[in-house]
Amino acid sequence: MGASFSACKSDPVGALPLQSNPSLGDLPESCAALILGYLDPPEICKLAKLNRAFRGASWADFIWESKLPSNYQTIVRKVFGDGLENLGKRDVYTRLCQPNSFDDGTKTVWLDKNTGSVCLSISSKGLAITGIDDRRYWNHIQTEESRFCSVAYLQQIWWFEVDGEVEFPLPAGTYSLFFRLQLGRSSQKRFGRRICNTEHVHGWDIKPVRFQLWTSEGHYASSQCFLTEPGKWNYYHVGDFVVENPNASTKIKLSMTQIDCTHTKGGLCLDSVLVYPSEFRERLKHF
């Protein structure tokens, strides 16, 4: 048997050279690019590590242009001006997936890296808050628990009112708007444990808070609820709206009120407002 095996491995004079079996490394780069076009961005990046063909193909502009929002050029001009003109589409996608600030740093926009969907956030400093300049009522406190590194903390007030607006070229689709709130004041971690002081939380279980939104395309939504779960950040759903024209900026106005002056309310952290694709809103439960 050993002799037979040796014979199979031998290369007698005059015989044709042995042919190696084809592998993925032999795949033309153009074919690899066509395959990558059917994958999601994280899958493309994983296959790019497979071999040289996929690595080269993963930079093809036509692949990443199909993953970018249909109006990505308008978004780029809004956020970066002309700063990304010389970048390839993969680099543009990468830059847009990072948190990108605009309007003096009070607003942030980014792409969901898995789907290319646009997400938008407004910081507490980008909102009009009644009494925000009076330290008897409100303070801005630093915290690692906010993407803006700062939240507005309400100590106590009779008339609670928060308004805001944002104008942005959102791609066509359905979006949900949320307020990110917490009953209680967060402090620095101690011995690795998160500490939240809920001592001054009061008034939110007497009358519900009312949320509203309006858009320039004529959509209106409202909701109301009691604020619950002290010590935990929650996303309170205001409502949904539809964007039909991605070539024009959509203007969104929003509000949060509790203006029953028969009682005070306090002990609330206001972090931000979030605009998020409605089809993925369940993901917010894991944030």
Side-chain angles (χ1 to χ4, degrees):
M1 180 177 287
S4 299
F5 181 78
S6 299
C8 289
K9 297 290 291 181
S10 63
D11 185 15
V13 178
L16 292 174
L18 294 175
Q19 299 291 324
S20 61
N21 292 327
S23 66
L24 282 176
D26 301 315
L27 194 68
E29 194 171 295
S30 58
C31 293
L34 291 174
I35 294 172
L36 294 179
Y38 289 97
L39 304 179
D40 293 331
E43 295 172 328
I44 294 172
C45 294
K46 287 179 181 179
L47 273 185
K49 301 175 182 178
L50 190 61
N51 58 42
R52 184 177 299 177
F54 280 99
R55 184 165 58 252
S58 69
W59 288 92
D61 275 350
F62 80 88
I63 294 176
W64 292 99
E65 190 154 20
S66 68
K67 311 302 177 186
L68 287 162
S70 60
N71 65 339
Y72 77 92
Q73 293 176 325
T74 305
I75 295 174
V76 167
R77 285 194 294 271
K78 169 76 173 180
V79 179
F80 301 103
D82 298 326
L84 303 185
E85 279 187 341
N86 299 322
L87 294 183
K89 298 300 185 290
R90 175 171 165 170
D91 286 331
V92 171
Y93 191 93
T94 300
R95 288 290 300 274
L96 287 176
C97 284
Q98 300 170 0
N100 300 288
S101 299
F102 64 102
D103 283 0
D104 298 322
T106 61
K107 301 176 180 69
T108 299
V109 65
W110 69 96
L111 298 186
D112 179 90
K113 65 180 180 180
N114 295 305
T115 65
S117 301
V118 173
C119 308
L120 185 67
S121 188
I122 309 170
S123 75
S124 59
K125 292 183 177 180
L127 301 170
I129 302 174
T130 300
I132 190 65
D133 295 323
D134 193 327
R135 289 294 183 89
R136 293 174 300 172
Y137 305 127
W138 289 91
N139 283 296
H140 284 291
I141 59 175
Q142 301 298 310
T143 176
E144 297 177 352
E145 297 181 352
S146 169
R147 68 170 62 250
F148 296 99
C149 299
S150 172
V151 300
Y153 177 69
L154 172 65
Q155 299 181 87
Q156 179 173 286
I157 205 166
W158 292 89
W159 182 285
F160 178 85
E161 185 173 12
V162 178
D163 297 292
E165 63 178 60
V166 61
E167 189 168 352
F168 197 82
L170 292 168
T174 303
Y175 296 85
S176 297
L177 191 143
F178 303 85
F179 273 83
R180 186 172 187 258
L181 310 169
Q182 176 186 255
L183 293 179
R185 175 172 179 158
S186 297
S187 60
Q188 298 295 326
K189 291 182 178 179
R190 296 179 183 174
F191 306 107
R193 295 183 59 186
R194 179 178 181 269
I195 304 297
C196 184
N197 185 350
T198 60
E199 178 183 357
H200 300 292
V201 174
H202 69 282
W204 305 107
D205 56 349
I206 300 175
K207 291 290 182 68
V209 172
R210 189 182 187 195
F211 302 98
Q212 297 180 89
L213 74 83
W214 303 260
T215 75
S216 54
E217 294 191 2
H219 295 279
Y220 170 76
S222 68
S223 63
Q224 60 179 22
C225 68
F226 293 96
L227 304 188
T228 58
E229 298 185 89
K232 177 183 177 182
W233 286 106
N234 282 304
Y235 287 95
Y236 289 88
H237 183 218
V238 179
D240 300 340
F241 62 93
V242 176
V243 174
E244 298 176 350
N245 183 6
N247 298 315
S249 289
T250 299
K251 190 171 185 177
I252 308 165
K253 292 186 176 182
L254 51 104
S255 74
M256 173 185 174
T257 56
Q258 214 291 25
I259 54 178
D260 184 341
C261 293
T262 60
H263 66 283
T264 62
K265 36 268 175 188
L268 176 73
C269 277
L270 168 57
D271 173 33
S272 59
V273 171
L274 177 67
V275 177
Y276 204 73
S278 295
E279 60 183 315
F280 304 120
R281 55 183 284 188
E282 288 300 312
R283 296 181 181 179
L284 294 179
K285 295 179 180 179
H286 307 291
F287 272 25

